[in-house]
Amino acid sequence: MLSKPARWWRAAAAVAAGGLPCLAFPAPALWWFAYVALVPWMLLLRSAPTGRRAALEGWLGGAGFILAVHHWLLPSLHVFLLPLAALLGLLWIPWALLVRELLGGDGAGGRAGAALALVPAAWLLSELARSWQGLGGPWGLLGASQWQVPPVLRLASVGGVWLVSLLVAAVNCAVVLLIVAPAARVPAVAGLTGCAVLTGVVWLWVPRPEVSGGLRVAVVQPGLVADGPDSADRRFAAGERLTRGLAGQHPDLVVWGESSVGADLTARPDLARRLAALSAEVGAPLLVNVDARRPPAAEPGMAGGAAGAGGTGAAGGTGGSGAPGIYKSAVLVGPEGPTGARYDKMRLVPFGEYIPARALLGWATSVGKAAGEDRVPGDSPVVMDLPGRPDVRLGPLVCFESAFPDMSRHLTREGAGLLIAQSATSSFQHSWAPAQHASLAALRAAESGRPMVHATLTGISAVYGPSGERLGSALPTSASTAALYEVPLARGTTLYVRFGDWPVGAALAVLAVYCAAAGVRSFRAGRPAPEPTAPRARTARG
């Protein structure tokens, strides 16, 4: 029985230990720390005197992880971040119980081997559950901390970020076994060796993307614009000025960041004409991002234009739902004006762009910068033909959609040769958010075998090649500039694009087998033993 001070100290230690992995992500970017970052938390959990205590410390550690990785949301969510962290922290309870169950002894028998398979699988289960958009999406996945490690990025091309998370969690588990279970050193060393061999085999034998041609892509980052009634017009003018400086450099495509155009182009034909003139002046189409209320009258014209202009969604349209309201849309503009190719953002940021269950949680607008009005989501992804380059198709994403592996995988399967994420993190300019967001594009590029452009309003903007390698220099948050990148294109299909999230399926299968076996053992233990059969009585006659 723990004393009251001991309970409080363990609770505080759980929160702190859960927050440690945040140091492996940008901006600190101590990628190597990820391989031991879970060890203090796991050591605490394995020593929990009861399963109930392990569940509590798993919950507190999970809440600490969410607070640490998402601390930059405080200006927007304020106190609401605390109940959100408490809710998401519940997802780590199954993992905590498994850690105590499988790592709490001396590691004898098959428990060490089972721990090396089941503990990482349970960690992945918590990541999978919180990757649902309604719970905030897959931000801060453990595998995402390895975005700048080339051998590990090659693993992502095989099994996505999920395979990387499994490997990192397995290494942490093996380290714990080495520390606390002398009897388990052989399986622990075998587990570490297996992770190293897997990474080496993938690095040496999995084919690299086959480079085929290139594209000159310009990224326009206007920088911070002071808030005010005319801030959208001033931001547009800054983008216009920087784009004009690209004349004579012969880009194939110019990309602006999220919310770079603050008015619907059908409602503001003057803006459409200015963009068309810019496209003609630099000799390349512009991919801008419109964040505005769409007039109902604009729907038929936009949909009709897209049908003949090379923007194809799941059903052959533009990916828009057609409902009235505010949209965030990637719009391709050529010398003749908007081409009709348009993608409406499908996965909106909870609280930032809509409030889940607004009737219940609408009070969040009074304590932070939560959305005063829900934006309208698009209904399908879109792959756009690039004018003047029939060999290149564009796969646009908006903002935190770059965190979702399935979205870039789908665009790649539909024929996208260049992935583009248009983002704006100006609300979190001096936090870790811009660096964290930019790093996600490296993972999406490696998973898909396609280059990816991460273009923002205020930085960090970055471009990655088809293996996830950075191309050129990133544009920092202090920059107001336009930069031109030579982007290699690639052919072929990665194993992740072909087979999808198979590590998730494997992890769920392993956990299901364990749960079934545990259920059978429990049933047998609870069944009463059969009564012994009495020996047959002998009579005098034998």
Side-chain angles (χ1 to χ4, degrees):
M1 184 71 177
L2 292 173
S3 65
K4 187 173 182 179
R7 291 197 297 268
W8 281 106
W9 276 111
R10 287 184 66 96
V15 175
L20 282 178
C22 76
L23 299 176
F25 296 90
L30 304 177
W31 63 266
W32 51 267
F33 183 63
Y35 294 94
V36 294
L38 301 181
V39 170
W41 190 6
M42 295 169 74
L43 291 175
L44 185 72
L45 293 172
R46 72 173 295 277
S47 67
T50 64
R52 182 176 180 180
R53 186 72 202 184
L56 173 64
E57 292 169 1
W59 171 51
L60 291 173
F65 178 85
I66 293 298
L67 287 172
V69 175
H70 298 81
H71 70 273
W72 43 269
L73 284 172
L74 279 170
S76 295
L77 295 184
H78 285 263
V79 70
F80 196 79
L81 184 58
L82 295 176
L84 182 63
L87 172 65
L88 294 179
L90 296 171
L91 300 175
W92 274 271
I93 289 178
W95 175 76
L97 293 173
L98 266 181
V99 169
R100 178 181 181 274
E101 173 69 22
L102 298 175
L103 297 177
D106 59 3
R111 295 179 68 191
L116 288 170
L118 291 166
V119 170
W123 178 273
L124 196 66
L125 181 65
S126 68
E127 292 199 334
L128 178 67
R130 70 185 179 88
S131 293
W132 178 50
Q133 178 199 346
L135 292 179
W139 193 285
L141 303 184
L142 194 59
S145 66
Q146 306 302 294
W147 65 277
Q148 56 184 326
V149 185
V152 182
L153 286 174
R154 190 68 51 79
L155 279 176
S157 74
V158 174
V161 68
W162 312 112
L163 181 58
V164 182
S165 284
L166 278 175
L167 180 137
V168 175
V171 171
N172 277 272
C173 185
V175 171
V176 171
L177 288 170
L178 287 175
I179 294 173
V180 301
R185 284 176 181 169
V186 171
V189 171
L192 290 173
T193 303
C195 291
V197 169
L198 173 63
T199 305
V201 167
V202 169
W203 175 256
L204 293 174
W205 296 105
V206 170
R208 291 167 169 78
E210 182 183 351
V211 175
S212 175
L215 200 67
R216 292 170 61 84
V217 179
V219 174
V220 175
Q221 180 178 298
L224 279 174
V225 173
D227 290 337
D230 62 340
S231 58
D233 291 336
R234 286 185 284 114
R235 184 179 298 113
F236 185 96
E240 188 178 34
R241 172 179 53 81
L242 293 170
T243 302
R244 190 169 288 116
L246 296 168
Q249 299 186 45
H250 309 293
D252 296 303
L253 175 68
V254 179
V255 183
W256 287 18
E258 180 187 12
S259 304
S260 49
V261 179
D264 185 82
L265 295 180
T266 57
R268 289 285 304 274
D270 59 315
L271 297 183
R273 288 192 295 269
R274 287 165 66 179
L275 290 171
L278 268 182
S279 175
E281 187 173 349
V282 301
L286 314 178
L287 186 68
V288 300
N289 189 274
V290 177
D291 182 1
R293 188 176 303 278
R294 189 175 301 160
E299 300 304 325
M302 289 293 290
T312 58
T318 62
S321 66
I326 302 174
Y327 290 78
K328 283 193 174 182
S329 306
V331 178
L332 193 63
V333 180
E336 304 301 320
T339 65
R342 184 194 74 221
Y343 165 66
D344 296 331
K345 183 178 183 181
M346 297 171 60
R347 295 182 180 172
L348 304 176
V349 180
F351 298 98
E353 294 170 337
Y354 79 103
I355 296 182
R358 181 177 285 273
L360 179 65
L361 301 176
W363 59 268
T365 58
S366 63
V367 297
K369 299 178 181 178
E373 177 182 350
D374 292 350
R375 281 172 169 77
V376 182
D379 56 17
S380 64
V382 171
V383 177
M384 301 176 178
D385 295 328
L386 179 60
R389 289 295 301 267
D391 59 322
V392 180
R393 306 185 76 198
L394 311 177
L397 298 167
V398 182
C399 192
F400 95 137
E401 289 182 330
S402 66
F404 293 86
D406 65 302
M407 297 195 73
S408 52
R409 175 175 177 258
H410 179 85
L411 290 170
T412 303
R413 290 173 65 89
E414 292 298 313
L418 175 66
L419 301 173
I420 300 172
Q422 296 173 300
S423 176
T425 52
S426 54
S427 298
F428 316 104
Q429 189 74 356
H430 302 294
S431 71
W432 293 357
Q436 285 186 18
H437 201 177
S439 71
L440 296 175
L443 284 160
R444 303 293 86 84
E447 290 168 344
S448 62
R450 298 292 182 267
M452 185 160 187
V453 174
H454 179 79
T456 73
L457 290 180
T458 60
I460 297 172
S461 298
V463 181
Y464 299 92
S467 294
E469 73 281 13
R470 179 177 284 172
L471 302 175
S473 299
L475 304 182
T477 53
S478 59
S480 175
T481 186
L484 188 64
Y485 296 86
E486 299 285 348
V487 180
L489 301 175
R491 295 185 300 182
T493 303
T494 66
L495 292 175
Y496 176 70
V497 170
R498 187 177 303 170
F499 298 111
D501 301 328
W502 64 265
V504 173
L508 292 176
V510 168
L511 291 171
V513 169
Y514 172 78
C515 291
V520 170
R521 288 195 303 268
S522 177
F523 174 76
R524 289 177 176 175
R527 190 170 53 182
E531 295 182 5
T533 304
R536 185 177 178 182
R538 289 192 174 189
T539 65
R541 296 182 179 181

